[in-house]
Each structure stands twice: as C-alpha cells, then as structure tokens.
Amino acid sequence: MERLLKVQAYQPGGHAAWRLLPLLLCLLPTVALAKNEIAFRVTGVPTDLSAKLQRAMPALSYNGKEARLHELVLSANLRLRDALQAYGFYHAKWDTKTISGPNGDATVQYHIDLGAPIRLRSKDIRIEGQIDENPVLRKTIAPFPLADGDILDQVLYSTWKDQTLSFLESKGYVNAYYPRHEILIDRKQNWAEIYLWLNSGKRYRVGSIHIVGADRYPRWFIDRYLTIKPGDWYSPRALSLTQSNLHDANRFQNIQVTGDTTNLHGDSIPVTIKLASLPEQHLKVGVGYSTDIGLNGILYYDDYNMFRRAQHLHVAVQVAQKSRNIGGTYTWPVGAALGSEYIASTSFQNETYQIWSANELRAAIGRRWALADNARKNVNASIQAMFNLEQANYTVSGISDSSFYLFPSITYSVQNYRNILRPVSGFYVRATAEGASKVWGSTSNFLRLRVRGGWDEMLNRNWGVGGRASLGALWLHGNIRFLPPDLRFFAGGQNSLPGYAFQSQGPTNAEGAVVGGRLLAVAGVHVDRFISHDWAIDAFYDIGNAFDSFSTFHALQDVGLGARWYSPVGPIKLDLAHPLVAPRAPAVRLVLSVGFDF
C-alpha cells in the first residue's frame, strides 16, 4: 500500500471562454497574443474537466527560440499531470501531437485517457473548540463538499479548508487552526481518506483602540476611517480594511494597524493604530491631453487640514485649448460615515467648442451623505443635495444670449468596482435631478433629469465585455435658447459618441445649425481582448443622439478600435473611432482619455 501526505493542492481560477457571445467576437479581429505563440489543447475528457485543465495551461510566447519551446512543452506536461492529480486522476495517460500554425505559432494537443480515478473511501471532518458554544454560528459553516464515493477533488478540499478557516477568523476565532489536515491515498486500490480536524480556539473581541501620531487631526475624524470599534468580534480582515481606508485618505503615512495578541485582557485584544501625518498643504502642476478639450496645463493647491478641523480646501486652475477655468471647493466632514460632508464651491469657466462657446460663473453649497459602509472597500455610494447659482453668457451656432439661474439639484451615485485603478469588473450609476423657477429669479422654468451608468465584466483572463448608457430629459417653459449650453443636451465626444466631435450633435434650428436638445439617449458596448494583465485591445460600437422628440430621433452610430493600459494611476485609453452615420472630416477620430470617469 502506498500512502502519500498531500500538503499542497492545485487551485485554478476563471471562467470558460464559451460565455463570450459569437456576435461580440465578430467585432474584434483576430489578434496574436505575442510573436511565436504556443497554445495547448485538451481532448478526450468531459467538458467541465477540460475547461479546468485548460486553465492550467495558458498560451505562451516562445519568441522563436527552439530551446524555449521545448522548455514550455515540458513545463506544460508537468502542469497537466499536477492538474489531473488535483482532480483525482492519478493514472491518466495522454498522446501528444504538435500542430504547426502560421507565423511560427504552434498548438500542442493532448488526447487524454483518464484511467481509473481515486475515489474518497472515508472522511473524518471535525470542528471543535469554543465554537461549540455557538451552535447558530456553527451551522453557518458550509458543509464539506465531498461525499464518500466521490472522485477526489483536491481543489474543492483546499477551497473549503481555506474558506472555513478565513470565516472563523473573521468571526473572532483568530487562533483557529487545523491540528490534522491530510489526505491519504492508495494509488493501487484507487481510494483516499481525508482527515481534516479544525479547532476554533477561543473567540476574541476588539479591546481598547489606541491611536498614536497624527496629533494635528481631530480624533473624531480619524475614527471615521475605522472599520472596527471596541466590542466587535476581532477580525484581521477588518484591521486590514482600516489600514487601507487610512492609506486612501491621502493624509497619513507609515500606517500600522495591529492587534496585540500577546497582551490579552480576558477575551479582548487591544488594537494600536500608528500614524504619521503627510504634509497638509500640497501644490501640484501637471500637463495633460484630452480629445475633448485639447492640450492642457493644470495647477492644483490643496490644504487638507484647514483650521486643524480636517476641512479640505481644493483650488484648481486649468488652461486648455478649448477650456479655461479656475475654481475652488471647500469641504468639511460631518458625521461618522466616510464621505459625509458639507460642500461649498465656486468656479469661472471660459469654453469654446465647435458648436458653442460660453463664459460661466457658478457657485454651489450643499451636503453629501455617504450610503456605503466604511468596511465595504470597493463600494462608493452617496446622495448629494446642492443649491446652485449659474450666470452665463453664451453663443450657440452664432446666436448669443445670457441667462441667470438659481436651482436645487440632487444626485444619487453608486460605484462598485473591485479595483478602481483597473475597472474591468463592476458597475456605476449616477442620476441627477435639478430644476429652476422664475419665482426664484431664474431666467425660465425647467426640470432636468440625467442618468448615466456602465458595467464591465471579465469573462475569463483574456476576454472582457462591457456597456454604458446615458439618458436625459428636459422639461422647459420657453425657447431652449434661454438655457446655457451646459444645461442642454448634446451628443458627441469621448464619453458619448467618440466618432463625432465633442458636443457637436443634436437638434438643429431652421438654418440647420445645431442648438442642443431636450432629450438624450446614447448607449455603447465594447469587447476587450487582454494581451497581458495590464494591456488590452478594445472594439466598440455606439449609438444614440440628442433630440427634441421621439418622432425626430435620428440615431448616429460609430465603431472603433482602441488600446487600454491599466496604469498605476488608472486606465489610459487610446481609441480610433469612425462615424457610420453622417460622417464628417476627419473620417477617423483619435480619442485619448486618462483615468476612470465616474
């Protein structure tokens, strides 16, 4: 009898590529991952197992070097063997066939005979310790996924083992451990026995929280970043989230959030948070480029701790080819939730675009309420209520006017991305309602609604898909000429219809000049082909326009190809977009954007 102690199990990830719709595939031409690629294909096994094995052997580049090609094939053989054993097939054999492709590419095809699998003969699963005093919590632990007689799937075994330990640690059992965790295998008789004993240990709560350093900031302000409080069940994950929140505040450095497990007080673990303050005043100068506004220079000044009350003054000066503006925003935190604050802002903008130009003086004051829990790291949700003033002088398609508006607005926004610097999986929604009345001294009465959103999804490690939409409706008493351009609806630009110039499309007047509309409907889809973790090639299609009524809606369309670099400061996108309806010079527009636009 041969007995083996397994101490490591193979853990694949991802999803099957068949989920990508054939229609979307038509949008993107075939793109080689790299020069001289070698791919690996598995046949002769059930579909679900084939997908699992395939993920263990991704396509690789060997750059035309025969020695490297031979090395990659040997490595793939080892990975295939390990993956088969991880799923319970220790007697598998295979025939190998190498198929040459164009441009020096090659495919290694494995036709596999699985042989007799290893089946689970018995299992000894124990969960002991202080958790027995909490039967309700004990019942929430997921049942062990393998039954006697099942094929030995070490991936399921390892996943359950790790997730269960992590679950107990998140509930205060920080000393939980496995006194015995082994799989005994008899390859000759094709059976296995699992021994998995889990001891929860004692359950602990968060004790006193001691903050050291950053003395210039008020304690109540620092408390807003904490995802723990005395009396909570102690969780290493909660401590990690607190440290991450403090890091994202842009106010602190050398952040350490630690629990002193050597200095216990009964069932409590004291926590110490060590901080050092960053300089409170920042001055930043930058140069950028946006297709919508052209080359631009930016000057930022920030004071993050006005009056030593953690109030934030932000001043921005931007000079661009098509837009010049200067503005300031003052925020002061209120309440316990991160992101809840009072806001006051003012700005002056001078803008000159293809269809319109304007000088706008704006001011606003209001309040933002954070809706997301501080512990939900990837979620940002809020409601913002503002009272706005706008004085504008503008010219639209050769017609000059001026206006004055006082109006309230309310905005709901939610953004849920796993990583905002690499927004490839998640969604966002932003909805705003605003309106003005002559009773308040405004030029005319209006009610305006605007909703925009988008979603992205990774289908597997190589393919992603997403979409976006922007909808708007405007009820106006009187002629649209009495509204400044920023309150009308136009289409075109990098976040609308990139095949057309920024805010150049919409309803026209009797002379055929674009004047903006009362309704907006724009949507788009895109497919991403990742050529590495941080680089992707993108194909997209957009449709929509601004209009005054559904009977006059004229849908514009564009298509394009682009490149995506998910840089350390956020996504950088370079697109080539071609209008399909009413094309104007240039036939292909170059669109560049930097950062995630929420």
Side-chain angles (χ1 to χ4, degrees), residues 364-381:
I365 189 167
R367 166 79 188 268
R368 180 185 294 123
W369 292 266
L371 303 179
D373 190 328
N374 291 1
R376 299 174 66 191
K377 174 64 179 171
N378 59 319
V379 180
N380 182 357

Side-chain angles (χ1 to χ4, degrees), residues 307-536:
F307 309 113
R308 297 187 66 175
R309 299 292 297 170
Q311 296 170 6
H312 179 198
L313 171 65
H314 173 74
V315 178
V317 179
Q318 182 181 49
V319 179
Q321 291 173 287
K322 302 178 183 179
S323 176
R324 281 72 50 192
N325 65 75
I326 180 171
T329 301
Y330 195 90
T331 60
W332 54 104
V334 60
L338 272 183
S340 291
E341 56 195 4
Y342 293 110
I343 306 168
S345 66
T346 184
S347 67
F348 174 78
Q349 290 196 183
N350 170 259
E351 301 168 295
T352 304
Y353 300 113
Q354 180 174 315
I355 302 300
W356 59 268
S357 62
N359 292 316
E360 298 160 340
L361 177 64
R362 301 172 182 168
I365 189 167
R367 166 79 188 268
R368 180 185 294 123
W369 292 266
L371 303 179
D373 190 328
N374 291 1
R376 299 174 66 191
K377 174 64 179 171
N378 59 319
V379 180
N380 182 357
S382 66
I383 291 179
Q384 179 173 300
M386 303 292 291
F387 192 77
N388 309 273
L389 175 151
E390 180 173 337
Q391 168 69 55
N393 300 308
Y394 48 89
T395 300
V396 181
S397 294
I399 301 175
S400 298
D401 279 292
S402 63
S403 63
F404 176 81
Y405 284 96
L406 288 171
F407 59 97
S409 65
I410 185 166
T411 300
Y412 168 78
S413 62
V414 59
Q415 167 252 304
N416 188 346
Y417 278 87
R418 296 177 185 173
N419 182 356
I420 197 62
L421 296 179
R422 191 174 182 269
V424 297
S425 182
F427 69 90
Y428 73 92
V429 175
R430 187 181 185 91
T432 299
E434 53 197 358
S437 171
K438 290 183 177 180
V439 175
W440 308 329
S442 296
T443 301
S444 62
N445 304 322
F446 77 84
L447 175 63
R448 186 174 185 266
L449 303 177
R450 177 76 183 265
V451 180
R452 60 190 179 100
W455 64 271
D456 294 272
E457 178 70 22
M458 289 296 294
L459 303 179
N460 57 41
R461 61 180 296 176
N462 294 326
W463 291 94
V465 65
R468 59 181 175 82
S470 185
L471 303 173
L474 171 66
W475 290 266
L476 174 67
H477 183 266
N479 195 296
I480 199 168
R481 65 179 293 177
F482 298 120
L483 275 185
D486 65 302
L487 294 177
R488 309 182 196 184
F489 290 117
F490 294 87
Q494 61 190 34
N495 294 316
S496 175
L497 297 168
Y500 302 84
F502 179 61
Q503 296 205 345
S504 65
Q505 305 298 314
T508 59
N509 58 18
E511 288 74 33
V514 175
V515 295
R518 300 169 185 252
L519 299 170
L520 176 73
V522 175
V525 295
H526 65 87
V527 183
D528 301 320
R529 178 64 161 103
F530 283 81
I531 58 178
S532 71
H533 182 266
D534 294 326
W535 284 90

